[in-house]
């Protein structure tokens, strides 16, 4: 039978509840347990697909095309398992199901209410992910205890323990223990209040994870234990870590995984953390600087590009490099063209995006990278901008554009496919989730992936316009990957450029800390080469780190 861990958060949002859940997931997996993770989100959007990344962070896409909360990205990267769209349920999707059932007459005339109908549907979403092949389901409840919206979720998980029995459920509450400067002390009061709030919803936490800037004392943990009625070894301190990937080690050293296993009566060997420790060693040794310009539209909220940043970091870890991201507002690029800020970059990433703002800046960045031999990686909209730039400036196709941004362009080199034109529901036209691509044997991309068939995740409407393909291909522009039927261009590259590669997909979603997405891995490799060319003393460091990476790979 599947055991359940429910992770709630108190005091403040953005405490790293998702990372705590993901870290616990990894520890349990390393104990030989089969783990699935889920996020329940108390907002009314049916999924985060319609939410502005500037407000809510990136939309993470699963293999099966789910547009989900970015915490699912942390889960996948930490537990190294692909999740499905069912791992994310929002208030909106839960109400939609209940209202649809009501319209179908499924409630047989009864009054449909938050309790029991909404809470039953929440429980159904939780149960959906359980089964013979799942030992532990970790369910993170989004939002903060004390929010109005969270109440049905707390009620649903409270009832859950009653239904499945006390040894099958463990409640973990993540709170903040703030440091108050003038008094020079960490304060436990907010934690006490938040536990009281949780108890008033009928939930006594089994464990409390105290987030703090610096480690807190045993005395303080003891105080929290007494006041919250949680055993001392169930109070776990998780101070800010230097790297995300330290968190599993920190909470393991604090005994969280053992404590949770005890509550759930799970008997396992201690977790095998050899690989995870080796990863952390590599992170510590990743010090060769490499400067990557990320040409973004939402640069003031780094979470908007979370998976891209993580994939860059994974590639950096692989090469022993410390990736320093220069967040460049796309609209500013044209004004920066003659400036050192662009010249000093070792590589440029043009990420995905929607809407016209900043597109000309991204196109200008693509041209700058092409002309100056700067390694450039294009992701989705990035591929489209690199294609438009090439069409305008190499093929001489005046006003070439994507019909998303200029519907009257005489050269719509990026366009909707015929089959997509008549669909009035915008969501209905999106290409979402994993699609297979056939790579051109002998191409750079095929060499990078080390195979001819790859699957990457997609989230877009527009495509490379196949009508223009012959013109492009006669000019050093290689369509190096396409859909199996040959209709859609999936990867492009440029002959004779150190690294000018783009994909219509989002390979960042499948990157893992110990298995960087291949296009990112080689992009950072090319950027390091540029860095060492400009700064010869780096060559030695780079070579030494490469040897280390090789040594690790053997272990
Ligand atoms: N806006 C572009 C499209 O819909 C690119 C989308 C993206 O980058 N995810 O095709």
């Amino acid at each position: 039978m599947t055991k359940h861990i429910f992770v709630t958060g108190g005091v403040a949002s953005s405490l790293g509840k998702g990372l705590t859940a993901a870290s616990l997931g990894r520890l349990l997996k390393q104990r030989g347990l089969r783990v699935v993770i889920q996020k329940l989100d108390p907002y009314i959007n049916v999924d985060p697909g319609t939410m502005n990344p500037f407000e809510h962070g990136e939309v993470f896409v699963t293999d099966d095309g789910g547009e989900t909360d970015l915490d699912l990205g942390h889960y996948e990267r930490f537990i190294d398992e692909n999740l499905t769209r069912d791992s994310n349920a929002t208030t909106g999707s839960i109400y939609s199901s209940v209202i649809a059932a009501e319209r179908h007459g499924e409630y047989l005339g009864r009054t449909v209410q938050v309790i029991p109908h909404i809470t039953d549907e929440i429980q159904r979403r939780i149960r959906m992910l359980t089964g013979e092949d799942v030992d532990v389901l970790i369910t993170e409840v989004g939002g903060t205890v004390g929010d109005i919206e969270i109440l049905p979720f707390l009620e649903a998980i409270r009832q859950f323990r009653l239904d499945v029995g006390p040894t099958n459920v463990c409640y973990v509450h993540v709170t903040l223990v703030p440091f108050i400067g003038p008094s020079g002390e960490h304060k436990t009061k907010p934690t006490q209040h938040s536990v009281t709030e949780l108890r008033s919803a009928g939930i006594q936490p089994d464990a409390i994870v105290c987030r703090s800037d610096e480690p807190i004392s045993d005395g303080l943990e003891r105080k929290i234990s007494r006041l919250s009625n949680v055993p001392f070894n169930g109070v776990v301190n998780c101070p800010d870590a230097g790297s995300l990937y330290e968190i599993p080690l920190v909470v393991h050293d604090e005994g969280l995984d053992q404590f949770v296993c005890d509550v759930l009566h799970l008997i396992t060997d201690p977790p095998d953390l050899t690989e995870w420790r080796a990863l952390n060693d590599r992170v510590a040794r990743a010090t060769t600087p490499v400067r990557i310009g990320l040409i973004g539209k939402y640069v003031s909220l780094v979470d908007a590009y979370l998976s891209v940043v993580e994939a860059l970091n994974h590639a950096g870890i692989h090469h022993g490099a410390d990736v320093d991201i220069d967040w460049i507002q796309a609209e500013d690029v044209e004004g920066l063209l003659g400036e050192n800020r662009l010249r000093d970059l070792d590589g440029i990433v043009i990420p995905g995006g929607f809407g016209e703002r900043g597109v000309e800046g991204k196109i200008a960045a693509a041209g700058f990278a092409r002309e100056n031999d700067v390694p450039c990686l294009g992701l989705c909209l990035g591929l489209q901008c690199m294609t438009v730039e090439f069409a305008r400036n190499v093929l001489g196709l005046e006003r070439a554009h994507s019909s998303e941004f200029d519907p009257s362009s005489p050269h719509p080199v990026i366009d909707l496919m015929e089959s997509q034109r008549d669909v009035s529901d915008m969501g209905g036209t999106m290409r979402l989730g994993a699609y297979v691509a056939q790579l051109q044997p002998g191409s750079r991309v095929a060499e990078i992936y080390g195979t001819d068939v790859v699957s990457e995740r997609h989230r877009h409407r527009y495509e490379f316009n196949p009508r223009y393909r012959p013109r492009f291909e006669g000019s050093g522009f290689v369509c190096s990957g396409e859909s199996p039927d040959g209709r859609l261009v999936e990867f492009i590259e440029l002959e004779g450029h150190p690294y000018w590669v783009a994909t219509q997909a989002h390979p960042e979603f499948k990157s893992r800390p110990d298995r960087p997405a291949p296009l990112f891995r080689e992009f950072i490799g090319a950027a390091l080469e540029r860095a060492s060319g400009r700064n010869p003393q780096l060559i030695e460091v780079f070579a030494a780190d490469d040897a280390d990476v090789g040594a690790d790979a053997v272990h």
Side-chain angles (χ1 to χ4, degrees), residues 141-176:
V141 181
T144 307
V145 168
D147 294 346
I148 290 177
E149 299 92 338
I150 207 175
L151 289 172
F153 292 95
L154 296 183
E155 174 61 11
I157 67 170
R158 180 193 69 75
Q159 292 175 4
F160 217 88
R161 188 177 231 173
L162 214 58
D163 293 346
V164 298
T167 59
N168 294 318
V169 171
C170 177
Y171 298 111
V172 177
H173 190 51
V174 183
T175 73
L176 177 69

Side-chain angles (χ1 to χ4, degrees), residues 2-186:
T2 305
K3 305 268 185 178
H4 292 267
I5 298 171
F6 293 107
V7 180
T8 53
V11 182
S13 57
S14 306
L15 283 182
K17 207 163 17 106
L19 283 165
T20 307
S23 299
L24 186 54
R26 181 68 188 215
L27 293 171
L28 298 178
K29 183 175 174 182
Q30 293 311 113
R31 286 173 171 264
L33 298 165
R34 294 160 304 171
V35 181
V36 171
I37 314 196
Q38 171 184 42
K39 172 104 190 257
L40 303 176
D41 273 314
Y43 48 74
I44 295 175
N45 304 62
V46 172
D47 62 44
T50 54
M51 291 166 92
N52 185 347
F54 188 62
E55 236 176 71
H56 191 71
E58 83 175 1
V59 175
F60 186 80
V61 180
T62 51
D63 264 346
D64 64 351
E67 297 180 276
T68 71
D69 186 80
L70 54 74
D71 272 324
L72 269 78
H74 288 312
Y75 303 162
E76 285 202 355
R77 288 186 282 271
F78 274 63
I79 63 168
D80 197 6
E81 301 282 346
N82 290 334
L83 302 172
T84 66
R85 59 170 70 239
D86 293 337
S87 273
N88 195 192
T90 69
T91 293
S93 74
I94 288 158
Y95 269 79
S96 292
S97 305
V98 171
I99 291 169
E102 187 271 334
R103 293 289 87 185
H104 282 116
E106 287 173 29
Y107 295 107
L108 307 174
R110 285 193 299 270
T111 310
V112 182
Q113 293 179 300
V114 173
I115 301 170
H117 302 104
I118 295 295
T119 46
D120 281 356
E121 177 62 17
I122 295 171
Q123 293 185 1
R124 193 184 70 80
R125 301 292 181 101
I126 296 169
R127 285 211 176 80
M128 248 165 78
L129 292 175
T130 62
E132 281 304 303
D133 53 346
V134 181
D135 296 317
V136 181
L137 172 62
I138 302 178
T139 302
E140 178 192 348
V141 181
T144 307
V145 168
D147 294 346
I148 290 177
E149 299 92 338
I150 207 175
L151 289 172
F153 292 95
L154 296 183
E155 174 61 11
I157 67 170
R158 180 193 69 75
Q159 292 175 4
F160 217 88
R161 188 177 231 173
L162 214 58
D163 293 346
V164 298
T167 59
N168 294 318
V169 171
C170 177
Y171 298 111
V172 177
H173 190 51
V174 183
T175 73
L176 177 69
V177 180
F179 182 79
I180 305 295
S183 67
E185 280 179 324
H186 282 102

Side-chain angles (χ1 to χ4, degrees), residues 246-258:
E246 279 174 33
I247 299 172
L249 301 179
V250 171
V251 293
H252 170 70
D253 288 345
E254 286 276 302
L256 180 64
D257 51 317
Q258 185 57 56

Side-chain angles (χ1 to χ4, degrees), residues 104-408:
H104 282 116
E106 287 173 29
Y107 295 107
L108 307 174
R110 285 193 299 270
T111 310
V112 182
Q113 293 179 300
V114 173
I115 301 170
H117 302 104
I118 295 295
T119 46
D120 281 356
E121 177 62 17
I122 295 171
Q123 293 185 1
R124 193 184 70 80
R125 301 292 181 101
I126 296 169
R127 285 211 176 80
M128 248 165 78
L129 292 175
T130 62
E132 281 304 303
D133 53 346
V134 181
D135 296 317
V136 181
L137 172 62
I138 302 178
T139 302
E140 178 192 348
V141 181
T144 307
V145 168
D147 294 346
I148 290 177
E149 299 92 338
I150 207 175
L151 289 172
F153 292 95
L154 296 183
E155 174 61 11
I157 67 170
R158 180 193 69 75
Q159 292 175 4
F160 217 88
R161 188 177 231 173
L162 214 58
D163 293 346
V164 298
T167 59
N168 294 318
V169 171
C170 177
Y171 298 111
V172 177
H173 190 51
V174 183
T175 73
L176 177 69
V177 180
F179 182 79
I180 305 295
S183 67
E185 280 179 324
H186 282 102
K187 291 291 186 188
T188 60
K189 191 72 78 189
T191 297
Q192 290 173 45
H193 279 303
S194 131
V195 171
T196 304
E197 188 79 41
L198 192 57
R199 282 218 214 102
S200 71
I203 297 171
Q204 164 64 47
D206 295 294
I208 297 184
V209 177
C210 304
R211 293 276 297 109
S212 56
D213 51 355
E214 298 288 333
I216 61 172
S217 65
D218 273 7
L220 226 52
E221 285 189 26
R222 195 149 281 151
K223 186 173 169 193
I224 292 170
S225 152
R226 280 216 195 87
L227 294 164
S228 348
N229 205 22
V230 166
F232 177 62
N233 56 349
V235 178
V236 165
N237 182 206
C238 185
D240 291 347
S243 134
L244 299 184
Y245 301 110
E246 279 174 33
I247 299 172
L249 301 179
V250 171
V251 293
H252 170 70
D253 288 345
E254 286 276 302
L256 180 64
D257 51 317
Q258 185 57 56
F259 183 83
V260 166
C261 285
D262 291 345
V263 170
L264 295 173
H265 293 209
L266 281 168
I267 296 163
T268 73
D269 287 335
D272 175 0
L273 295 174
T274 324
E275 274 177 35
W276 201 264
R277 289 192 200 283
L279 169 71
N280 276 276
D281 289 346
R282 289 204 299 279
V283 172
R285 280 186 279 120
T287 50
T288 311
V290 64
R291 194 166 175 74
I292 303 299
L294 196 145
I295 316 294
K297 183 174 161 187
Y298 318 102
V299 292
S300 50
L301 182 75
V302 293
D303 273 0
Y305 299 106
L306 185 60
S307 292
V308 174
V309 172
E310 284 308 300
L312 288 169
N313 287 334
H314 301 161
I317 296 168
H318 174 88
H319 289 287
D322 181 16
V323 179
D324 173 20
I325 297 183
D326 185 4
W327 296 89
I328 300 177
Q329 185 71 43
E331 290 100 312
D332 296 344
V333 172
E334 287 155 293
L336 290 172
L337 284 176
E339 307 281 326
N340 283 344
R341 181 158 171 206
L342 284 194
R343 269 199 298 268
D344 288 349
L345 296 174
D346 302 316
I348 290 179
V349 177
I350 309 181
F354 292 83
E356 195 178 359
R357 183 167 69 78
V359 164
E360 286 303 328
K362 291 183 175 186
I363 293 171
F368 174 82
R370 185 179 55 75
E371 285 176 348
N372 295 284
D373 283 347
V374 180
C376 183
L377 174 62
L379 308 165
C380 205
L381 179 62
L383 173 142
Q384 300 176 354
C385 291
M386 286 158 77
T387 302
V388 168
E389 190 281 324
F390 194 87
R392 288 183 191 170
N393 300 326
V394 179
L395 303 183
L397 302 176
E398 251 175 73
R399 285 187 49 223
H401 217 324
S402 161
S403 50
E404 178 178 7
F405 309 120
D406 180 2
S408 61

